[in-house]
Amino acid sequence: MDTDVLLRVLSLCLALAGTETLHGIARTLYANPRLGKARALKLSVVSGTLLALGVCWLLVPGLGLRTLGAHLLLGLFLALFMALFDIALGRWLLHRPWPKVLADFNPATGNHLSYGLVCLVGLPALVWQWRGG
């Protein structure tokens, strides 16, 4: 992987992180009070995945990846990056204790972040296929 592709992948990661951070803020400020936290969390998996699809739609084709495997590997990397970003944001910026940070990934606690991460793995491949892969 050359430096140009690496910088483009890191740009994609930052675009996703920024988009999802703003999405989480909007959910907390607007959806939680109107829908309740549990319903807003469920809805945010769908809206967050659609936002990630939009970001991938704009940025993945510019990476120049040519195979399904490369796109799936990219999706795996994006999901790992976003999971680590969420952990870092919760732990060090929001000062949440480890049990609360990790609960974000547990659907049994009403949090559905792990479902969004699973979807994120396939989004680059989906975009590639839809755009004529």
Side-chain angles (χ1 to χ4, degrees), residues 41-121:
L41 283 171
K42 288 179 184 176
L43 179 64
S44 72
V45 172
V46 175
S47 58
T49 300
L50 291 173
L51 284 169
L53 176 62
V55 171
C56 287
W57 184 267
L58 294 173
L59 298 179
V60 166
L63 297 176
L65 303 177
R66 303 202 186 281
T67 65
L68 176 61
H71 284 87
L72 289 173
L73 189 60
L74 172 63
L76 188 61
F77 179 78
L78 293 176
L80 178 63
F81 175 85
M82 289 306 298
L84 293 173
F85 178 80
D86 191 74
I87 290 169
L89 187 70
R91 184 71 183 122
W92 292 292
L93 185 66
L94 301 175
H95 304 288
R96 296 175 71 203
W98 281 111
K100 283 195 171 216
V101 169
L102 297 176
D104 284 347
F105 298 91
N106 184 357
T109 63
N111 294 300
H112 304 289
L113 179 61
S114 55
Y115 297 142
L117 292 172
V118 169
C119 290
L120 185 55
V121 172

Side-chain angles (χ1 to χ4, degrees), residues 11-33:
S11 296
L12 173 58
C13 288
L14 293 176
L16 281 171
T19 300
E20 291 299 338
T21 299
L22 292 174
H23 177 251
I25 292 168
R27 183 198 72 236
T28 301
L29 292 177
Y30 302 111
N32 284 8

